[in-house]
Amino acid sequence: MTTIGHYINGESVAPDGRSQPVYNPATGQTEKSVLLASKETVIEAIDAAESAFSEWRNTPASKRARVMFQFKYLLEKNADKIIELIGQEHGKISHDAAGELQRGIENVEFACAAPQLLKGEHSKNVGPNIDSWSEFQPLGVVAGITPFNFPAMVPLWMFPLAIVCGNTFVLKPSERDPSCAIYLAELLKEAGLPDGVFNVVNGDKEAVDVLLTEPRIKAVSFVGSTPIAESIYATANAHGKRCQALGGAKNHAIVMPDADIDNAVNQLLGAAFGSSGERCMALSVVVAVGEETANQLVDKLSAAMADLRVGPAQDADNDFGPLITHEHKTKVKAYITSAEQQGADIVVDGRNIQVKGYENGFFVGATLIDKVMPSMESYQAEIFGPVLQVIRVDSMNTAMQLIDGHEYGNGTCIFTRDGEAARYFSDHIQVGMVGINVPLPVPVAYHSFGGWKRSLFGDLHAYGPDGVRFYTKRKTITQRWPSSGVREGASFAFPS
Ligand code: NAD
C-alpha cells in the first residue's frame, strides 16, 4: 500500500493523521491511500509559501518565466508517467489523458510570456511633466482547489500563471486522484523553482476551510461542483479574499434540420461519452430541431454507439474508461432509472455493462435517452456520466429558450450550415463558451475559460488574460520630479 502525502517547502512530507483510500476505478481495488491534511499541515504549507514570497516577487519576470520553460520541457519528457498516474487513479484512457496534459502544457506556454504579460501601461505627460503608469503586482500567497476529473490540466490552469506573476501557491488537489499534483511539484523543483513557491496539501473540507479563512491567503481559485463552488465563493469573500469558483454544467448541442447529421453524430459521440462524460464541457443534451432531425440522430447515434469500447485505461483501443467511484456509478445509474420512470425512452442502456476481467470496476456503458422532458430530474441535474439525452423541439427559438432556462451556462454548441442562424445563436445565447459546429469549445490558453450563470461564481474567468488579472493587483503610480526653483505652493483645488 503506497501512502500519498503532501509537498511542502520543496519536500515530500507524510505526517501522522487521517487518510482515505485511493481506488483504481477500473479494478475497484485500492492500492494507495492519501493523507488528509490537518489544520497544522495546511498552516505549515502557508508558512512556507509566505517565507518564499518576498524573494520570488523580486525575481525578474524573465527568470520566473525561464523556470516555466524548463517545466514545460520536463512535462513533455515525463508525459508517459503523468498519463500513467492519471490512468491509475482517474481511469482515463491514455489518448484522452495525453490530450488533457497537452491542454495543460499550453497554459505553461502562455505563462512563459510573463515578461510581456506583466508589462503594464504607461502614459507620459498626463499633466505638465507628470507621468503615470499602472503595474501589476503579485497578491502574495494564493490557493487552488481542484476537482478529480482533470488531475493535471485544471491545476495547470492555475499555478503556472499565478507563479510567473510572482505569487506563491498552495494547491489542494482532489483527494480521489492525488498523485499527479505531487509529481507536478517534483518536476517544478527539478525545473529550478525555489522551495516554498509551490506547495501541495492533500485533503478534504478540513484543509479547504483553512485555505478559505487564513488571512495570509489572498486569493482562491476553485474548480468543482456548483454547490461547493457557491459555498467556497461565499466563504472566501466573507474572509476578504479574491475568489473565482467554477462550477458544474449541463451543456446542450442544438442540431438544426440543415446540419450535416453524420458529422454531428461523430462529434456528439466523442463530446458526450469521452472521459465517460466526466467533463464539465461534456455535451450531455442534444436538442433536435424537428422530428425528422431527431429520428435520424437517434437512429445513427444508437447504431454508432454499438461500436464504442469501454474498459481500463491501459488499453488505448478503449474509447472511455470507468467512473471515478462506486458511489458515483450508483448515482449515474439512478439518474437513468429516474428518466425511465418519468417516461423517457432508454434507447441504449449502459447500466448493466460487464467489462471482462474488470467485473468490480466502476463502469457504466454509453447510454442514450430519447424523449426527455425539461421537467425530468435527469435533465435538470448534472449527471457527469456517459449519458446523452435527446430533447425534441420544433424551432431554434424553443431550443434557445431551453438552454437559457437551465441553471447552468458553461458550454453549448450548434450544428448547422446556416451562418445567419449560427451568428444569432452565438450572439444571444446565455452561455459563456459557444461552439459553432465545434462540440467542445474549450478556449485555448491565450483566451480564458469560464461559464455563465451558476457555472461560475466571480468576475474573472480562469487562465489566459483573465488569469493574469486575477493573480495580480493593479497599482497606478503618478510621478513628477520638480526641478529646483520651480516648486509650487500648496493647491487646494482637485488636480485637473
Ligand atoms: P467536488 O466539488 O466534489 O470537489 C472539488 C474540490 O472541492 C475537491 O478538491 C474537493 O476535495 C473539494 N471539496 C469537496 N467537498 C468539499 C466541501 N464540502 N468543502 C470544501 N471543499 C470540498 O467536484 P468533483 O466531483 O471533484 O469534480 C466534478 C465537478 O467539477 C463537476 O460538477 C464538474 O462539472 C466540475 N468541473 C467544473 C469545471 C469548470 O471549469 N467549470 C471543470 C472541471 C470540473
Side-chain angles (χ1 to χ4, degrees):
M1 183 78 93
T2 311
T3 300
I4 302 150
H6 318 290
Y7 194 90
I8 298 175
N9 210 16
E11 280 179 17
S12 296
V13 293
D16 289 340
R18 292 185 305 130
S19 65
Q20 75 173 47
V22 176
Y23 288 91
N24 177 333
T27 61
Q29 303 298 309
T30 122
E31 292 139 18
K32 305 176 188 175
S33 75
V34 60
L35 297 184
L36 303 173
S38 63
K39 179 173 180 185
E40 291 68 35
T41 300
V42 182
I43 296 286
E44 205 188 309
I46 299 172
D47 288 345
E50 189 193 27
S51 303
F53 176 62
S54 167
E55 198 174 329
W56 184 241
R57 127 192 236 288
N58 292 324
T59 301
S62 56
K63 286 200 175 166
R64 298 197 298 247
R66 255 171 240 150
V67 175
M68 284 301 142
F69 276 106
Q70 187 62 15
F71 182 49
K72 168 184 150 66
Y73 162 75
L74 290 173
L75 288 171
E76 285 166 346
K77 185 175 160 210
N78 296 289
D80 287 348
K81 165 115 192 239
I82 297 168
I83 291 164
E84 192 187 337
L85 287 175
I86 297 173
Q88 281 169 6
E89 295 175 10
H90 176 287
K92 206 173 275 198
I93 312 300
S94 53
H95 46 75
D96 191 21
E100 146 167 20
L101 178 59
Q102 176 55 30
R103 293 305 292 259
I105 288 173
E106 288 167 16
N107 286 277
V108 181
E109 290 168 349
F110 181 77
C112 288
Q116 168 72 15
L117 297 169
L118 296 171
K119 266 194 330 202
E121 298 161 356
H122 190 271
S123 300
K124 191 174 170 160
N125 280 341
V126 294
N129 295 319
I130 301 176
D131 302 329
S132 183
W133 69 93
S134 294
E135 54 191 43
F136 297 96
Q137 298 198 344
L139 306 175
V141 185
V142 300
I145 301 157
T146 52
F148 80 82
N149 65 325
F150 286 106
M153 183 185 77
V154 172
L156 289 169
W157 282 1
M158 299 175 180
F159 69 78
L161 201 51
I163 286 173
V164 291
C165 288
N167 302 284
T168 55
F169 204 95
V170 180
L171 173 68
K172 206 301 286 172
S174 172
E175 63 275 40
R176 295 176 197 158
D177 44 16
S179 293
C180 195
I182 297 286
Y183 187 56
L184 296 180
E186 290 166 3
L187 292 183
L188 271 175
K189 178 161 176 145
E190 195 181 334
L193 192 75
D195 291 348
V197 174
F198 181 66
N199 308 275
V200 180
V201 287
N202 279 307
D204 55 10
K205 186 173 186 311
E206 182 173 337
V208 171
D209 284 346
V210 183
L211 295 173
L212 297 179
T213 53
E214 228 283 349
R216 290 175 294 169
I217 298 284
K218 300 300 176 203
V220 176
S221 295
F222 172 88
V223 177
S225 58
T226 284
I228 309 295
E230 190 168 27
S231 112
I232 296 266
Y233 185 72
T235 312
N237 272 319
H239 287 82
K241 299 181 199 316
R242 189 176 285 193
C243 184
Q244 54 180 184
L246 283 69
K250 190 82 172 178
N251 306 310
H252 300 62
I254 298 182
V255 181
M256 296 289 283
D258 67 352
D260 175 340
I261 297 286
D262 291 325
N263 175 55
V265 165
N266 277 334
Q267 303 293 327
L268 284 168
L269 284 176
F273 304 124
S275 203
S276 313
E278 289 176 324
R279 291 178 182 147
C280 66
M281 290 294 272
L283 271 182
S284 52
V285 181
V286 53
V287 190
V289 177
E291 283 298 307
E292 179 52 27
T293 313
N295 293 339
Q296 277 193 51
L297 270 175
V298 170
D299 287 351
K300 291 185 181 219
L301 278 167
S302 52
M305 284 166 66
D307 295 331
L308 292 180
R309 288 193 48 163
V310 185
Q314 64 272 19
D315 182 349
D317 287 338
N318 286 327
D319 294 304
F320 64 90
L323 293 170
I324 188 70
T325 56
H326 180 70
E327 294 71 44
H328 190 49
K329 171 180 165 173
T330 307
K331 196 168 132 194
V332 170
K333 286 170 71 172
Y335 278 125
I336 302 170
T337 304
S338 82
E340 186 175 39
Q341 287 168 347
Q342 289 170 12
D345 287 354
I346 312 295
V347 183
V348 181
D349 189 348
R351 277 174 291 187
N352 297 315
I353 190 175
Q354 286 288 325
V355 178
K356 205 160 174 289
Y358 294 87
E359 287 75 11
N360 295 322
F362 310 141
F363 294 97
V364 170
T367 298
L368 183 66
I369 312 181
D370 191 12
K371 300 190 178 145
V372 171
M373 302 305 287
S375 57
M376 291 178 182
E377 195 191 350
S378 66
Y379 173 72
Q380 287 167 5
E382 178 185 42
I383 298 179
F384 225 52
V387 181
L388 179 60
Q389 304 186 77
V390 181
I391 295 203
R392 296 167 176 244
V393 297
D394 56 9
S395 71
M396 179 170 135
N397 274 347
T398 315
M400 287 178 65
Q401 278 164 13
L402 198 63
I403 297 172
D404 287 347
H406 206 285
E407 67 168 311
Y408 297 120
N410 215 40
T412 188
C413 160
I414 188 166
F415 289 100
T416 183
R417 289 187 168 104
D418 180 343
E420 190 183 1
R423 191 166 186 272
Y424 181 85
F425 172 75
S426 64
D427 190 20
H428 290 89
I429 202 74
Q430 297 300 301
V431 172
M433 294 172 283
V434 180
I436 297 167
N437 299 314
V438 172
L440 293 177
V442 178
V444 289
Y446 38 97
H447 286 256
S448 295
F449 182 109
W452 285 11
K453 296 186 276 184
R454 289 173 58 75
S455 292
L456 180 131
F457 302 88
D459 303 311
L460 291 168
H461 288 195
Y463 68 76
D466 271 17
V468 179
R469 289 292 169 269
F470 184 78
Y471 292 121
T472 56
K473 54 189 171 189
R474 176 186 286 265
K475 180 178 275 181
T476 304
I477 298 151
T478 305
Q479 169 183 273
R480 173 168 54 179
W481 294 100
S483 52
S484 56
V486 286
R487 292 176 195 277
E488 295 159 17
S491 169
F492 297 93
F494 197 74
S496 63

